[in-house]
Amino acid sequence: MTAPAGDKRARVSAALAALLVFGACAALAGEKQPREYLDEDTAATVTVVGEPLVFAYPHPTLAANQRDYVTLAAAAVNRNGKVSYVLIAYFWSTIDPRLRQDPLPSPAQLVIQADDRRIELHLQGHSPHEAGIGQPVHAPPGVDAAPNVYGTDLGTVRFIGEARELTIVVDSDPAPISYELWEDRRVALRNFVHHMSGGR
């Protein structure tokens, strides 16, 4: 018995829709994959997370819809088989500097509150090149923000990527400032960990 033409068209339409959704998901996942390259400046193999996390702190008393931000990106550096991990943070703002009374917080110590775990990161320096990375790592576009390099390990990066709640806390006077997760790209961080774990 031959199926009605309407049923055939419906099945074909459903199949095409499924293919389109699958293709969109695959493209989206591809954008979040880490990038690995041989750094010509440092001769190290560098792996960089596909997309960074972005945290924000609002300043409603200074300007509407303007915020301070922290962009946080993970990277791995392989030098002759020895792999080290870093988190690179950029402190930046969309607020007119003329409206500010206080500078952006000091990056000397950065705390990531991941669920119930407090992860303290200590500044190693402002040059990713010293860590073996010769190219900028997800620097925020359109702003002049210095990179701040913090040493870490794969287990810590894994915990951050799998945490349900993430906040960045930095020291400030008179009280610490908490940056809430603004652009959630933990999928990219989990892909980075998966890649560095050899697919495990």
Side-chain angles (χ1 to χ4, degrees), residues 52-57 59 67-72 89-95 100 104-105 138-146 148 179 182-183 185:
L53 299 173
V54 180
F55 298 79
Y57 175 72
H59 279 280
R67 298 170 178 85
D68 291 341
Y69 295 92
V70 178
T71 297
L72 188 70
Y90 301 86
F91 289 77
W92 56 286
S93 181
T94 56
I95 298 172
R100 306 187 70 100
L104 289 171
H138 292 301
V143 296
D144 184 17
N148 302 285
Y179 291 75
W182 179 254
E183 293 183 2
R185 293 152 174 176

Side-chain angles (χ1 to χ4, degrees), residues 131-169:
I133 305 172
Q135 300 181 16
V137 177
H138 292 301
V143 296
D144 184 17
N148 302 285
V149 183
Y150 305 86
T152 188
D153 55 68
L154 187 59
T156 298
V157 177
R158 184 192 304 275
F159 192 91
I160 294 170
E162 294 178 352
R164 294 183 300 275
E165 296 183 7
L166 287 176
T167 305
I168 283 182
V169 182

Side-chain angles (χ1 to χ4, degrees), residues 13-68:
S13 297
L16 287 174
L19 286 173
L20 288 172
V21 170
F22 177 80
C25 291
L28 184 61
E31 292 176 358
K32 298 179 184 296
Q33 294 302 313
R35 181 170 68 97
E36 187 169 282
Y37 63 94
L38 178 62
D39 196 302
E40 296 181 357
D41 289 342
T42 66
T45 299
V46 178
T47 307
V48 177
V49 67
E51 294 180 314
L53 299 173
V54 180
F55 298 79
Y57 175 72
H59 279 280
T61 58
L62 292 181
N65 301 319
Q66 301 297 305
R67 298 170 178 85
D68 291 341

